[in-house]
Amino acid sequence: GPADRRSLEQMVSGPLTGVDLLPEPGHQPAPEMPVPKPWYADPDLPATMAADAERHPGGLALMAFALRELYDAAKETRRMDVTTYQSALGGLGGVIARRADATLQSLGKAGEQALKRVFARLVRWNQEDEPTRQRERLSVWQGDADALQVIQKFEDARLLVADRGAGGDAVIEVAHEALLREWPKLASWIQERREAFQLVERVRTEARAWVQGGKKRQRTWPG
């Protein structure tokens, strides 16, 4: 079942208080090097992030993503605090959108056009009338250099993940389904094409029924 509030708080505070976040054991800095500055963990951070995670669908995965982003953002100051989490990262709802925006911006105009060709195959409409993620073979973008670059950059940003399918082929999917809801640019594009995604699901359903029926019955579509 879903984690309760106390468990969510421990997921934040445990790694922060149980690990020094210093060089590996046995590593001795050179005498002329300064002693690493200690890390500061805001005591209000666990409760704040846990409360946000409870309010967001897929909150646990979002919280993990936000903690990694917060750690990266705090490397200079070594302060993992609520201010950085809320202001610099935008909280749990904003952190994934900020990362996606920055990644897309690095790809230029060609990347923005290719983004649509990538996510057209990574999104499907489910029976609850909502967009959800789906896997797709990497080979479908073969020859589309801009799309492959989008996939690589979004994979590097931990927004897409690669795996191996049943036949050993490389497959791609959205790492966090929250991306489809929390990134305004993508969410609005999906909603604008809602009818198209729904039509694709109808075609899939009809195709399955036709194949299961031995391809004997002719299935016609008005218009």
Side-chain angles (χ1 to χ4, degrees):
D4 58 23
R5 174 71 68 88
R6 178 172 173 77
S7 297
L8 289 169
E9 290 184 12
Q10 289 175 336
M11 290 175 193
V12 178
S13 63
L16 295 178
T17 57
V19 181
D20 289 334
L21 295 177
L22 294 175
E24 294 290 333
H27 173 75
Q28 296 295 328
E32 65 274 10
M33 291 183 65
V35 176
K37 187 166 97 173
W39 282 77
Y40 166 76
D42 191 332
D44 293 331
L45 185 64
T48 302
M49 294 191 76
D52 286 350
E54 281 190 326
R55 289 194 294 268
H56 281 80
L60 185 58
L62 266 180
M63 192 174 76
F65 185 88
L67 276 169
R68 174 60 187 268
E69 292 291 299
L70 181 58
Y71 168 72
D72 288 342
K75 280 182 178 177
E76 293 283 332
T77 62
R78 292 188 170 235
R79 291 183 63 87
M80 303 212 20
D81 54 33
V82 173
T83 300
T84 305
Y85 164 66
Q86 292 180 333
S87 301
L89 299 183
L92 214 60
V95 63
I96 202 165
R98 283 173 178 261
R99 170 57 66 187
D101 279 331
T103 303
L104 182 59
Q105 189 174 8
S106 72
L107 289 163
K109 191 164 275 282
E112 188 160 341
Q113 291 299 318
L115 181 81
K116 300 169 185 177
R117 299 196 295 275
V118 171
F119 279 90
R121 291 181 172 273
L122 296 179
V123 177
R124 70 180 302 172
W125 217 261
N126 64 20
Q127 293 181 344
E128 286 73 43
D129 199 30
E130 295 174 336
T132 186
R133 61 186 171 184
Q134 73 169 352
R135 294 178 137 202
E136 183 57 278
R137 289 172 294 115
L138 182 62
S139 59
V140 303
W141 294 285
Q142 187 175 2
D144 190 340
D146 290 333
L148 291 173
Q149 188 176 26
V150 167
I151 291 168
Q152 185 60 59
K153 286 283 190 181
F154 272 69
E155 190 181 340
D156 293 342
R158 306 188 306 279
L159 298 170
L160 296 179
V161 292
D163 200 355
R164 290 285 170 185
D169 295 333
V171 293
I172 301 295
E173 70 177 320
V174 173
H176 306 284
E177 206 159 72
L179 180 69
L180 310 182
R181 300 183 302 269
E182 303 292 346
W183 187 17
K185 186 177 189 66
L186 182 60
S188 62
W189 179 82
I190 291 172
Q191 287 298 326
E192 287 169 7
R193 286 149 185 82
R194 176 178 178 177
E195 290 186 2
F197 281 117
Q198 290 173 327
L199 178 58
V200 169
E201 290 306 309
R202 286 183 58 200
V203 172
R204 283 197 181 106
T205 300
E206 290 289 333
R208 280 194 297 267
W210 183 62
V211 170
Q212 290 168 3
K215 302 182 182 179
K216 295 177 181 178
R217 177 184 170 193
Q218 184 176 349
R219 306 181 77 87
T220 59
W221 287 71

